[in-house]
Amino acid sequence: DIQMTQSPSSLSASVGDRLTITCRASQNIYSYLNWYQQKPGEAPELLIFATSTLQSGVPSRFSGSGSGTEFTLTISSLQPEDVAAYFCQMTYSTPWTFGQGTKVEI
Amino acid sequence: EVELVESGGGLVQPGGSLRLSCAASGFAFSEYWMSWVRQAPGKGLEWVANIKQDGSQKDYVDSVKGRFTISRDNSKNSIYLQINSLRAEDTALYYCARDVYGAYDPVSGEGPYWYFDLWGRGTLVTVSS
């Protein structure tokens, strides 16, 4: 199975900060990488699919990049409503696997 | 309203069984692959299984093969997860999710890309004696 490793596991930042979360795959997954946001007590929501395509309705301060084995999620200006856990997911091959998550606090 | 609503979770003893349900509304259910994803308390997400639009193809993570069975009834806009021989490590919040695929990258030729664009709120399964 392809393993996904996220870093950091948690971070604390200030409103307005630029954040970067990294996700690494154990083998080449091309651009088959998605990002989800899970707010406390809620179900996950899709932010980005295919590495860099923003899901409809997602604020433009979120962006994704990368390819192969290394990917990043960037929040250009952190907002209070961005407090959440963020998960990457690869869908290059089954079983589809997720990173362990990054908890973002303010 | 477009939504997924899970039900059927509960407290069950090790070795027991449960049948989880997920009812879809507000979209053309029969046109979508569907998945189950679980999240152990305080942990990350694990994809469990998915099923094709007509139920003819199913796939599972290795840890549940032979114990879990995914199915669907398009006349009821629902999917199900029959979970048998439950273990403590199956304790989790079980989500159903709508699979989307089909996007292609015209430059690289990659695709189709798969992702989950709709999730339910989950149903909790607790395995304990």
Side-chain angles (χ1 to χ4, degrees), chain B residues 1-6 22-27 29 34 77 96 98 118-121:
Chain B
E1 182 182 1
V2 177
E3 66 175 355
L4 300 170
V5 179
E6 303 91 337
C22 170
S25 59
F27 64 96
F29 175 77
M34 297 292 296
N77 287 349
C96 70
R98 185 172 72 178
L118 179 67
W119 298 66
R121 297 186 65 85

Side-chain angles (χ1 to χ4, degrees), chain A residues 48-64:
Chain A
I48 289 168
F49 63 92
T51 297
S52 60
T53 304
L54 213 61
Q55 172 69 345
S56 176
V58 173
S60 59
R61 63 180 178 274
F62 292 92
S63 64

Side-chain angles (χ1 to χ4, degrees), chain B residues 99-122:
Chain B
D99 297 10
V100 174
Y101 74 96
Y104 287 83
D105 184 330
V107 176
S108 68
E110 290 181 14
Y113 296 106
W114 290 78
Y115 51 93
F116 302 142
D117 75 333
L118 179 67
W119 298 66
R121 297 186 65 85

Side-chain angles (χ1 to χ4, degrees), chain A:
Chain A
D1 298 353
I2 297 175
Q3 307 302 316
M4 305 301 295
T5 304
Q6 277 181 247
S7 61
S9 57
S10 65
L11 66 90
S12 183
S14 300
V15 172
D17 282 355
R18 180 182 182 89
L19 298 186
T20 299
I21 298 170
T22 298
C23 181
R24 289 185 173 86
S26 60
Q27 64 187 73
N28 187 355
I29 60 168
Y30 300 89
S31 295
Y32 294 86
L33 192 284
N34 309 317
W35 290 97
Y36 299 88
Q37 176 193 63
Q38 185 176 33
K39 295 182 178 180
E42 298 185 8
E45 291 187 357
L46 177 68
L47 290 176
I48 289 168
F49 63 92
T51 297
S52 60
T53 304
L54 213 61
Q55 172 69 345
S56 176
V58 173
S60 59
R61 63 180 178 274
F62 292 92
S63 64
S65 63
S67 67
T69 62
E70 187 154 336
F71 303 85
T72 58
L73 171 69
T74 299
I75 307 175
S76 61
S77 178
L78 186 67
Q79 300 301 304
E81 59 267 32
D82 300 337
V83 168
Y86 293 84
F87 296 92
C88 62
Q89 177 206 25
M90 77 84 194
T91 54
Y92 173 66
S93 61
T94 60
W96 297 333
T97 51
F98 293 85
Q100 77 276 20
T102 296
K103 188 174 181 180
V104 173
E105 299 176 330
I106 292 180

